[in-house]
Amino acid sequence: MTPIFDTHAHYDDEAFDEDREALLQELPKQGIARVVNVGASLSSCKKTIELMETYDFVYGAIGVHPNETAELNEESFAWLREQCQRDKCVAVGEIGLDYYWDEPARSVQKEWFVRQLDLARELSQPVIIHSRDAAKDTVDIMTAENASEIGGVVHCFSYTKETAKIFLDMGFYIGIGGVLTFKNAKKLKEAMEYIPMDRIVLETDCPYLAPVPNRGKRNSSLNIPYVVAAMAEIKGITEEEVRRQTWKNAHDLYRMKI
Ligand code: NI
């Protein structure tokens, strides 16, 4: 069986404080062979660096989530630029726009989204895009910034298949996780039918968004097989085909050798 690549996890989260080490040591034994831990704030970027330096199979993404951008300034941005150049940092992220929580001001979110896109371009790294209730502004900024030259993934995709097409046309991958198994995820299932298998990557966004039958509980990469099963059913292919294709896609996305 092909192993699983969790392209988006937050094992630095306090939800894992009690058993982080035991859980992380278990993952490779359970077929989770690669994890990218994604920074969302300056402090989570620091913890991401510790995790990627501790565990062989853990890689990192360094960036600041739109709702945390109020903490950015020239000094902390310079620090981010340095950290992004570490060996095991495979992407700039997560970055983007979040109008669901809608803070700080949209102008601040936009400014740091653009700055971090430019950073990725400068360092020739892919980006991890977080976009919630902000499809139009996200697309407008990515278009204006020629994001197709940068590349990356739109994580926890939550928009329509029409919006998926725009990101696919820019050459982006689409990250899909536990939401796919939710009963009320009609829009995402439609998008999943539409998105070609060679552009999909698996993710957890753990500790959030555990798939059915563990919905509502703390999520971890160990739940990804439920997402694989849901994908296989929607696409009419085997679970092994889902594993094989997403394993390859994730390495291509993060420009890693298999
Ligand atoms: Ni995330």
Side-chain angles (χ1 to χ4, degrees):
M1 219 169 22
T2 306
I4 280 172
F5 193 138
D6 185 351
T7 61
H8 193 117
H10 300 285
Y11 283 110
D12 54 281
D13 193 280
E14 62 184 11
F16 297 107
D17 281 355
E18 272 181 24
D19 60 348
R20 182 177 294 108
E21 198 182 332
L23 176 60
L24 282 169
Q25 283 176 349
E26 187 64 16
L27 296 185
K29 297 175 199 157
Q30 301 294 330
I32 313 296
R34 301 249 191 286
V35 170
V36 170
N37 202 78
V38 179
S41 62
L42 294 170
S43 66
S44 73
C45 286
K46 283 181 194 137
K47 290 180 194 157
T48 293
I49 292 162
E50 282 172 29
L51 289 173
M52 72 191 195
E53 285 179 349
T54 307
Y55 300 93
D56 272 357
F57 71 101
V58 176
Y59 293 76
I62 298 293
V64 173
H65 182 288
N67 295 135
E68 306 288 341
T69 46
E71 67 178 358
L72 282 172
N73 53 40
E74 292 310 320
E75 193 187 337
S76 52
F77 192 68
W79 180 84
L80 276 186
R81 172 183 279 116
E82 262 172 49
Q83 306 314 313
C84 284
Q85 295 172 66
R86 287 173 179 268
D87 272 354
K88 287 181 80 187
C89 175
V90 295
V92 174
E94 57 189 293
I95 65 173
L97 301 173
D98 191 318
Y99 296 168
Y100 177 81
W101 297 107
D102 216 11
E103 60 178 48
R106 292 180 182 186
S107 58
V108 176
Q109 294 191 32
K110 286 179 187 173
E111 179 194 345
W112 290 109
F113 183 25
V114 171
R115 292 284 303 271
Q116 293 183 92
L117 282 170
D118 289 343
L119 176 62
R121 186 198 317 277
E122 175 196 327
L123 301 176
S124 298
Q125 285 192 346
V127 287
I128 300 172
I129 304 281
H130 170 105
S131 177
R132 191 171 184 194
D133 293 351
K136 184 178 183 302
D137 283 1
T138 303
V139 167
D140 286 352
I141 286 178
M142 287 171 69
T143 305
E145 286 293 307
N146 290 317
S148 57
E149 297 169 3
I150 300 169
V153 59
V154 180
H155 115 87
C156 196
F157 183 76
S158 60
Y159 298 133
T160 60
K161 66 177 184 190
E162 289 76 16
T163 306
K165 179 178 189 309
I166 299 173
F167 292 126
L168 291 169
D169 287 346
M170 289 185 194
F172 272 67
Y173 290 87
I174 306 288
I176 292 185
V179 177
L180 190 68
T181 67
F182 295 179
K183 234 185 173 157
N184 55 359
K186 189 165 166 269
K187 192 174 69 173
L188 182 60
K189 285 172 185 157
E190 276 172 19
M192 179 73 212
E193 277 173 31
Y194 169 73
I195 302 165
M197 254 340 275
D198 62 0
R199 303 294 286 283
I200 285 171
V201 292
L202 295 166
E203 64 168 66
T204 52
D205 207 18
C206 63
Y208 309 107
L209 298 173
V212 174
N214 292 322
R215 187 173 181 179
K217 297 184 188 159
R218 184 185 75 172
N219 197 8
S220 84
S221 313
L222 297 174
N223 282 321
I224 288 186
Y226 295 115
V227 179
V228 170
M231 272 183 195
E233 196 186 324
I234 290 170
K235 288 296 199 187
I237 57 177
T238 64
E239 293 180 26
E240 173 57 18
E241 281 172 301
V242 171
R243 286 170 171 260
R244 200 163 45 217
Q245 184 69 58
T246 54
W247 176 252
K248 176 183 186 304
N249 297 347
H251 286 84
D252 289 347
L253 158 64
Y254 292 132
R255 299 161 195 170
M256 293 163 62
K257 289 200 183 95
I258 289 188

